[in-house]
Structure formats: structure tokens, C-alpha cells
Amino acid sequence: MTEPVRLSKRMSELGLCSRREADEWIEKGWVRVDGVVVAVLGSKVLPHQRVTVERQAAAEQSKRVTILINKPMGFVSGQAEDGYKPAVVLVNAESRWSEDQVDTEFHPKQLRSLVPAGRLDIDSVGLLVLTQDGRVAKHLIGEDSSVEKEYLVRVKYSKPGTLPEHELKRLNHGLIMDGKPLRHAKVFWMNEDQLSFTLREGKKRQIRRMCDMVGLKVIGLKRVRIGNVKLGDLPTGQWRYLRPDEEF
């Protein structure tokens, strides 16, 4: 017999919402299992049972915003740490990009539950996603996520000459980190001191550690794309909304 699982976990697996959203909806009586309202947190369901949500849940979810920031150096992605400010402090009416094509009006309430969907180190710059939508967060940073993330990385080789071809091949495939082989990457030279990295995973300081393994020192790192969404001309320190026609 298949084991029952928490309703909130099952809703996340089905792609309906995040677990946090699921708990909120359950408490509000917006979730039905086989047509019956389930309003008790911690309730469990069997995989074959039908889970549906009320229209109010979908309406609330549609109001949740996803914001793209061109993060400058010196800001952390998430919670403030060691005296450094989180990137969310950059989101206000004044710092919104003047060429944002979305007609949504900014309101401070949009800052509630706005969390980073993936990290970008304090000394890295470029595209950072902040979202209120649990589906977006799960898609970008969930355990099964394979969304591509592209970076431009300025490097300096620590040995005489240039990086050997076999070491470049190791960057593409063959490195082991934290005891596990890294997924295939796409790494190639843009010019004599800048590499393009495209990854499908996001271990902490992964690119810097990969470079260190082959004798490269990272001088600068900029994320320019997540899935199909590009940083483009978004100015440093400014933000815009994810457009309805954009998908990661």
C-alpha cells in the first residue's frame, strides 16, 4: 500500500503552489481532497486522491509578483548578514527601471514574502530573481530543477601560459565537488580573459570553486540569464517585473 503524504507536500509535488502557500490555503479552507474541504494543517493524503483548490487561491496567486534585479556588488541575496544589506532593499518605486513594460503599479505590500529564487554571492553581480510565487521558486531552485543559468566570468590563470585545453574540458565535465560529480556544464572562452559558464545546478560558490580546481582565479562574475529570461539592458541596481509573456 502506498504511504500517505502531507497534503502540503502533495500540493507542491503537483505544482499547485509552494508548501508555505499550501498551508495558508488549507487554513483558509481553499483546498479540497476528493471534493471535501480539508482545513486541518498536517492532514495527509494518498497519491491517487484528487486535490483541487478554490478559485480564490488562483486569484490570490495571480497577484503575486516576480521581480528581476540587476544586483550590484556588496549586497547579499537573502537575509542581511555581517552588516551587508539584502538585495530586496533595492526594490522601491524610485529604483524601478523606466523601461519596464509591465503596467503593474508598485506597492510596498509586494515586498511581503518576496524571497530570492536562487542565490548570487555578495561579490557577484547580475540577474537575481525575487518572487512571491512559490511555483517560480520551486521551478528555479527545487531539487529537480534543471533550469540553465548563464554567467560571464572574468578570470586570471595562476600558472605561466594559458589554461590547457584538457582543463577547459574538465570545467565542462569531470570535476567533483562535495564528493559528487558535477552535472555537465557548458564552458567556453568569450575572449582571452573571459569565460562563459552555463550551469544546471547551483552549489554554493560553485563557479569560483570550479575555477580554483583548474588554477583559475575569478576576477569578476556576472549572471546574465536564467532559463529564457535575460538580464538584457536592465541597469545595475534597478529592477523590473517579470513580463506575463516571459517564462524561465
Side-chain angles (χ1 to χ4, degrees):
M1 180 178 175
T2 306
E3 290 293 315
V5 296
R6 285 180 67 103
L7 177 56
S8 57
K9 182 174 188 288
R10 181 62 179 148
M11 290 171 67
S12 175
E13 290 173 349
L14 291 169
L16 295 172
C17 57
S18 68
R19 290 195 196 187
R20 190 187 72 241
E21 284 175 317
D23 284 337
E24 291 175 8
W25 295 355
I26 291 167
E27 285 189 309
K28 291 177 178 177
W30 290 352
V31 181
R32 292 176 182 264
V33 176
D34 292 339
V36 179
V37 172
V38 175
V40 179
L41 289 179
S43 297
K44 294 189 174 185
V45 295
L46 291 167
H48 70 268
Q49 292 186 282
R50 184 166 177 262
V51 180
T52 56
V53 296
E54 302 294 330
R55 279 181 293 182
Q56 299 99 305
E60 183 179 276
Q61 199 170 48
S62 69
K63 296 175 187 174
R64 303 198 170 188
V65 299
T66 295
I67 284 172
L68 312 176
I69 298 181
N70 186 345
K71 186 187 89 67
M73 203 173 290
F75 288 82
V76 293
S77 300
Q79 298 294 320
E81 55 184 75
D82 300 327
Y84 293 105
K85 293 180 179 179
V88 70
V89 303
L90 297 168
V91 182
N92 54 62
E94 291 71 34
S95 60
R96 183 178 181 182
W97 189 27
S98 60
E99 295 183 30
D100 190 351
Q101 298 173 19
V102 178
D103 58 9
T104 300
E105 187 174 343
F106 174 73
H107 192 282
K109 70 181 180 183
Q110 292 166 357
L111 299 176
R112 293 182 204 148
S113 304
L114 195 64
V115 296
R119 58 179 289 117
L120 195 58
D121 297 331
I122 190 169
D123 43 5
S124 300
V125 301
L127 183 58
L128 179 67
V129 177
L130 301 176
T131 187
Q132 293 178 315
D133 192 333
R135 296 169 301 175
V136 172
K138 184 174 186 291
H139 182 56
L140 295 185
I141 59 176
E143 291 179 10
D144 300 327
S145 177
S146 59
V147 176
E148 286 189 345
K149 300 171 183 71
E150 182 182 349
Y151 305 79
L152 298 180
V153 186
R154 199 165 296 282
V155 294
K156 184 177 181 181
Y157 192 41
S158 60
K159 301 174 184 177
T162 58
L163 182 74
E165 186 64 25
H166 73 271
E167 294 287 45
L168 180 64
K169 288 180 178 177
R170 286 181 70 214
L171 286 173
N172 279 270
H173 186 235
L175 294 178
I176 294 174
M177 191 174 292
D178 302 329
K180 294 182 179 179
L182 293 175
R183 293 184 188 177
H184 280 266
K186 286 189 278 189
V187 185
F188 58 89
W189 289 105
M190 299 288 289
N191 52 51
E192 62 182 18
D193 67 347
Q194 185 169 261
L195 287 163
S196 169
F197 272 75
T198 300
L199 307 180
R200 289 182 177 270
E201 58 191 330
K203 294 182 181 292
K204 190 173 182 180
R205 299 183 76 81
Q206 179 172 336
I207 290 176
R208 295 175 191 276
R209 293 166 68 192
M210 289 173 71
C211 286
D212 188 56
M213 289 177 187
V214 298
L216 291 172
K217 178 179 173 58
V218 173
I219 308 300
L221 191 154
K222 182 178 187 178
R223 184 158 61 203
V224 295
R225 177 175 66 85
I226 299 176
N228 294 319
V229 177
K230 297 180 179 179
L231 179 64
D233 297 325
L234 182 62
T236 301
Q238 295 188 27
W239 64 274
R240 68 174 178 88
Y241 291 108
L242 182 72
R243 299 194 312 268
D245 66 310
E246 287 181 303
E247 289 186 359
F248 291 104

